[in-house]
Amino acid sequence: MALTTLLVTSGPLEGRRVVLEPGVELVIGREDAELTIADAQISRRHAAIRGDRNGVEIRDLGSLNGTWVNGEKIERARLLHVGDTVEVGGTSLEVEAAQEGRDRRTVRVRRGTEMLGTEAPQGDELRRVTALFADVVGSTGLGERLRPEEVKSLIGDCVTRMSRAVEQYGGAVQAYMGDGIAAFFGVPAVHEDDAERAARAALRILEAVEAYARDIEGAWGIADFNVRVGINTGQAAVGLVGARDPQRVSLGDTTNVAARLQGTAQPGTISIGEETARALAARFVVEPLGDVSVKGRESPVRTWRLVRPATSAPGPPSHPLVDRKTELAQLSTALDEVEAGRGQTILLVGDAGIGKTRLLDEVRGLATPRVTWLEGHSVSYGEELLLTPFVEILRTWLGVAEDEAEVATRMKIQAKLGALLGARADSLRTLARLLSVRLEPEAREDTSAALAASDIREAYIAWLEALSEHRPTVVVVEDLQWADAASCDLALDVVELTERVPLLLATTLRPDPASAAWRLRGRVLTEYPHRVKELGIGPLDDAAAEELLVQLFTGELNPIARQGIVARAEGNPLYLQELLRILTDGGGLERERRSWGLTSTSSTLLSPALESLLVARIDHLPDSARRLAQAAAVIGRTFPVRVLERVSGAGDVRADLQVLLRAEIIREHRRYPEFECIFKHGLLQEAALSTLTAERRRDLYGRVAAAFEVLFDAPPDDYLERLAHYYAHSDDLAKALDYLERAGERAALLQAEPQAVELWTRSSEIASRLGDTAAELRIAARLADLGT
């Protein structure tokens, strides 16, 4: 067999080439694979590719999201040819003929393991992480009652169960501590909902250990086996430690506090820190525990107990809908169509926080008395939780909680679902199995056998069809971009069902070309143009954003504060709300006579929720593209590409730039007279900056300043303030002082006295930091000449 190469065209390895050796089977997966890819949508062992004299063959290994070749999901082994496109999770690969020594990105995979998509970053980084510590209570006493091998088996099995719960929700176990674990959410990559992931993992740990404790009591007669958990969220330094086998770890106060919280938790409970509690308050039940002291910390830590997920339905929106008249009219029309008997599908597409859910809240208020409203949510950690939104929809309609007893669930299924489906016993049994319930427990139904995907879809559609025949029905699926492939397949069947019954399918999704939902979007817009309508939800204009701000803030903001907040939010309602929250809570507002104004620190504040949301977008890029975004952020919101090329030191800046453009982190600003790009949102630039350590940031600022000095032939005066800004944030304060003084002189010559005063005042501050007395006297004299 001739060598064959797989070119990765999207995902964490974008731009890589992987060479297949003859006779070597290449298993692609998230772990325990020959080719390990840091892609959360890929199963642990996803697919296998093998080349021999008959050609290159690929087969799926029972993955959750399926393996796709040229847009078709493969059910069995399939031969690959040059030009074929393979999709696994969020990663796409193109088959091409290999050429030896092609480029530095070619990786030869032999009989070993290649770890790709997780290459080590250059230096430490800062990021917001959630640390989870869990350990077995009273494990030291087990040695007196059991043999060493029994202790090892008992504790080892418990630690395995705890680790499995962490990994189920996308966390990483960093250390095993004999009878416990230290795990992190946000390492190696941040997610916007890391605190929620950790909370659900912790609750799953308690549930798993409770069941395990019953087994232990039966086998060993030990009645007090238990576990306790501590969770804390905050900024942490993330980097590599170790010599022979360095590992990426998280260190700092956040980790220390989590360990302390775990140590003070009562057996069978979860203690959480203040920031974690704030992040979870809307979705979970938490109870205050008071303050605990932490060694090495002057101030105590306020703690809460995490009890359970909240079960109450969401309340009414906190503020009236602003603007969106056109979109609301289109949704109302779709609702009228369904009431008239004509099924519809609406795709609400827009960035996170842009207002898709708020629009649906408004429609629900109009629709509830007239239709049956069903709502389900996809989750970002649901790669191993099939059909999550549709299971939630069915549970909610039945009035069944997740932790409800099986007998109660069975009775509700038989009473409510049985009455609707009538003689369709197979559909009733399948839907019961979907909820992990046996309708006839005495008959010992085999619930371990996997349900066929086609049977699930057929039964679910039968239920929705029967429901819609009684009354017009609205099915809402939120965050479809996170849905698994099985959910997308079922959503396609629901779209087809709208041809026959009065049913409105409304979905919200973010632009994500790598997701199964984006493929579904393309298909339904093509095949059902008469039934499917896409609504692109864009930013609010400044007038609407200011109206929203006035509604959200109970006091009076002065015009400068209002304009500043609106400008930073750039029309995104969530960003505006979060900016206002962090300004209010973090000291970014100060009281004036009759209104509130911004403080000097207001422009540097970024709420934890926004930081996690925005850093998550950057963090899931390939490492080289992520580092390029950090360097670009130092240059500014708008940045010349040739400065970035000189600063980054990377080998293929243009390729990484294309990654950032496709991911909509940046966009082209202009081509002439200088090729410049701009961050799509100013807060994305701030988020990229927030991940840099102080040392790395100073280094980059110095390199940016030097690049401007070397590359641009324009008169130096055009760059005086810009160069002063860069050097003021670097280690070269002497150059910052020089450029600031010169910029002040230029402003004075142009009779721009307020600007000259501001520049020389900054010069004086830097001269003081340098201990340059002569400069301080010189600047003081200049200020005196201006009468200040």
Side-chain angles (χ1 to χ4, degrees):
M1 182 195 84
L3 288 176
T4 300
T5 301
L6 301 175
L7 170 64
V8 186
T9 56
S10 71
L13 311 185
E14 186 165 15
R16 289 269 193 173
R17 285 186 170 87
V18 180
V19 177
L20 300 176
E21 294 283 357
V24 176
E25 181 170 83
L26 173 68
V27 175
I28 301 174
R30 204 168 69 243
E31 52 187 72
D32 299 327
E34 280 70 43
L35 179 58
T36 302
I37 304 178
D39 181 345
Q41 299 181 53
I42 291 179
S43 297
R44 284 181 171 80
R45 291 174 63 82
H46 196 108
I49 302 178
R50 182 181 180 86
D52 55 30
R53 55 188 166 189
N54 297 321
V56 179
E57 180 183 86
I58 185 170
R59 70 181 193 280
D60 187 77
L61 299 178
S63 66
L64 293 175
N65 294 328
T67 300
W68 302 70
V69 177
N70 299 332
E72 296 182 5
K73 188 175 181 179
I74 63 172
E75 302 295 339
R76 55 183 64 86
R78 174 165 171 169
L79 285 175
L80 294 175
H81 304 90
V82 172
D84 284 349
T85 298
V86 176
E87 293 174 81
V88 287
T91 296
S92 298
L93 309 97
E94 182 179 322
V95 181
E96 59 181 20
Q99 300 174 17
E100 287 288 354
R102 188 159 197 158
D103 60 27
R104 67 180 181 83
R105 291 172 171 261
T106 300
V107 178
R108 302 173 67 86
V109 179
R110 299 181 174 86
R111 288 175 177 83
T113 300
E114 287 287 347
M115 290 291 294
L116 298 176
T118 55
E119 54 189 279
Q122 294 177 346
D124 294 344
E125 291 183 332
L126 299 177
R127 63 186 65 221
R128 194 163 298 279
V129 304
T130 297
L132 181 154
F133 279 66
D135 78 338
V136 175
V137 178
S139 61
T140 54
L142 295 176
E144 300 175 1
R145 305 159 68 178
L146 302 174
R147 296 191 302 273
E149 63 273 19
E150 291 176 324
V151 175
K152 186 267 178 188
S153 175
L154 187 153
I155 297 297
D157 196 11
C158 182
V159 168
T160 297
R161 291 170 188 239
M162 292 193 291
S163 301
R164 191 177 296 130
V166 166
E167 291 165 358
Q168 178 183 351
Y169 290 97
V173 178
Q174 185 180 101
Y176 297 94
M177 303 170 295
D179 58 355
I181 59 172
F184 291 88
F185 296 79
V187 181
V190 169
H191 305 91
E192 63 189 76
D193 54 358
D194 279 319
E196 179 175 345
R197 289 167 176 251
R200 294 192 181 277
L203 291 167
R204 181 72 188 99
I205 286 172
L206 294 191
E207 180 184 327
V209 172
E210 182 181 3
Y212 185 51
R214 290 194 292 268
D215 295 339
I216 291 172
E217 185 174 9
W220 280 286
I222 298 172
D224 55 353
F225 190 87
N226 215 327
V227 68
R228 56 189 175 189
V229 184
I231 302 176
N232 191 46
T233 303
Q235 198 85 357
V238 177
L240 293 176
V241 300
R244 177 176 297 180
D245 184 22
Q247 301 293 319
R248 203 172 187 196
V249 300
S250 171
L251 299 171
D253 184 61
T254 299
T255 301
N256 297 335
V257 170
R260 174 61 175 153
L261 292 175
Q262 172 257 306
T264 60
Q266 293 298 311
T269 70
I270 305 162
S271 290
I272 62 177
E274 185 169 10
E275 187 174 318
T276 309
R278 282 200 301 267
L280 300 179
R283 288 179 160 272
F284 292 81
V285 177
V286 296
E287 299 174 348
L289 291 175
D291 295 347
V292 299
S293 60
V294 177
K295 184 177 180 180
R297 239 176 169 264
E298 292 184 5
S299 57
V301 175
R302 189 166 298 172
T303 64
W304 279 259
R305 179 189 172 201
L306 173 64
V307 182
R308 63 179 182 276
T311 55
S312 58
S318 58
H319 57 83
L321 184 68
V322 173
D323 202 12
R324 308 301 192 196
K325 295 182 179 64
T326 302
E327 296 90 340
L328 186 58
Q330 291 175 304
L331 286 167
S332 297
T333 299
L335 199 59
D336 293 339
E337 288 286 304
V338 170
E339 283 194 272
R342 294 180 289 273
Q344 303 282 308
T345 296
I346 299 289
L347 308 176
L348 279 76
V349 181
D351 290 336
I354 206 68
K356 304 182 293 295
T357 298
R358 180 65 188 84
L359 261 174
L360 287 178
D361 285 341
E362 196 75 11
V363 175
R364 179 173 53 193
L366 299 172
T368 302
R370 303 149 56 186
V371 303
T372 298
W373 186 278
L374 305 172
E375 189 171 321
H377 303 76
S378 304
V379 291
S380 65
Y381 46 81
E383 58 265 18
E384 296 184 5
L385 305 172
L386 298 181
L387 298 169
T388 300
F390 292 102
V391 170
E392 180 188 354
I393 286 170
L394 180 57
R395 283 188 180 278
T396 303
W397 181 79
L398 287 168
V400 172
E402 275 191 66
D403 57 353
E404 192 153 345
E406 182 174 340
V407 63
T409 304
R410 184 185 307 116
M411 291 176 62
K412 291 179 180 179
I413 290 173
Q414 291 171 332
K416 195 170 183 180
L417 196 56
L420 184 68
L421 292 176
R424 301 175 185 175
D426 288 345
S427 294
L428 185 65
R429 188 175 296 108
T430 298
L431 292 174
R433 287 274 310 280
L434 184 61
L435 301 183
S436 303
V437 171
R438 295 180 298 177
L439 287 183
E440 302 170 0
E442 298 81 7
R444 300 291 182 187
E445 295 177 37
D446 181 13
T447 57
S448 62
L451 281 170
S454 58
D455 291 342
I456 295 174
R457 297 203 304 271
E458 181 180 341
Y460 207 95
I461 293 301
W463 167 57
L464 286 180
E465 186 168 14
L467 199 62
S468 300
E469 287 171 351
H470 281 74
R471 191 183 190 201
T473 300
V474 176
V475 174
V476 174
V477 179
E478 292 262 31
D479 290 316
L480 191 67
Q481 76 279 350
W482 289 329
D484 58 275
S487 293
C488 290
D489 290 342
L490 181 49
L492 181 61
D493 289 342
V494 177
V495 174
E496 194 276 331
L497 179 62
T498 64
E499 300 262 72
R500 307 194 301 270
V501 297
L503 184 147
L504 169 62
L505 172 64
T507 71
T508 66
L509 67 156
R510 304 176 192 173
D512 183 3
S515 68
W518 205 250
R519 292 193 294 268
L520 171 67
R521 166 189 170 271
R523 183 171 176 181
V524 298
L525 287 172
T526 302
E527 297 180 10
Y528 300 91
H530 58 297
R531 295 285 179 187
V532 180
K533 185 173 184 61
E534 180 174 276
L535 296 182
I537 312 301
L540 298 172
D541 61 30
D542 285 354
E546 190 164 338
E547 180 185 344
L548 175 59
L549 180 60
V550 169
Q551 293 176 5
L552 292 173
F553 190 68
T554 55
E556 175 71 23
L557 290 168
N558 69 30
I560 294 176
R562 285 201 307 272
Q563 293 166 13
I565 297 171
V566 167
R568 286 189 73 200
E570 296 184 31
N572 187 300
L574 174 65
Y575 294 3
L576 190 145
Q577 288 178 271
E578 287 297 321
L579 286 170
L580 183 59
R581 178 177 291 114
I582 194 62
L583 288 171
T584 303
D585 297 342
L589 295 175
E590 59 185 359
R591 183 73 179 177
E592 297 175 348
R593 290 183 179 179
R594 295 184 178 180
S595 63
W596 292 85
L598 299 175
T599 67
S600 59
T601 60
S602 60
S603 62
T604 64
L605 295 173
L606 195 63
S607 75
L610 271 187
E611 183 181 344
S612 295
L613 175 66
L614 296 169
V615 170
R617 289 187 59 182
I618 298 168
D619 228 22
H620 286 76
L621 296 169
D623 280 332
S624 56
R626 180 169 51 79
R627 289 195 295 270
L628 194 71
Q630 292 170 330
V634 169
I635 300 173
R637 171 79 185 273
T638 303
F639 54 91
V641 171
R642 62 184 176 130
V643 172
L644 181 61
E645 288 175 324
R646 188 174 185 90
V647 169
S648 70
D652 198 352
V653 170
R654 294 294 173 129
D656 288 328
L657 202 67
Q658 289 302 314
V659 173
L660 297 178
L661 287 165
R662 285 195 293 270
E664 296 192 338
I665 302 297
I666 64 172
R667 56 182 172 81
E668 288 190 7
H669 182 57
R670 65 178 182 181
R671 285 276 179 176
Y672 180 83
E674 178 79 30
F675 180 27
E676 292 184 345
C677 290
I678 183 172
F679 278 88
K680 184 180 178 183
H681 200 288
L683 294 180
L684 272 171
Q685 181 211 357
E686 292 182 36
L689 274 175
S690 74
T691 63
L692 293 170
T693 62
E695 180 182 5
R696 176 71 173 151
R697 190 180 299 204
R698 289 194 301 270
D699 174 64
L700 281 171
Y701 272 116
R703 289 164 62 184
V704 168
F708 268 93
E709 287 178 322
V710 170
L711 291 175
F712 288 92
D713 298 327
D717 286 353
D718 291 354
Y719 294 95
L720 290 175
E721 286 189 54
R722 193 166 193 171
L723 288 167
H725 167 76
Y726 293 140
Y727 276 123
H729 288 82
S730 75
D731 288 322
D732 197 342
L733 292 182
K735 278 199 170 184
L737 175 60
D738 176 50
Y739 281 118
L740 277 171
E741 285 196 78
R742 289 164 59 186
E745 290 169 4
R746 182 169 183 262
L749 286 173
L750 296 174
Q751 297 184 340
E753 291 188 3
Q755 184 181 3
V757 169
E758 190 267 334
L759 290 167
W760 279 333
T761 300
R762 286 164 55 194
S763 301
S764 180
E765 292 170 356
I766 289 181
S768 177
R769 289 168 61 188
L770 288 169
D772 190 337
T773 305
E776 288 185 84
L777 293 172
R778 182 172 64 245
I779 296 166
R782 288 170 176 164
L783 289 170
D785 289 341
L786 292 177
T788 61

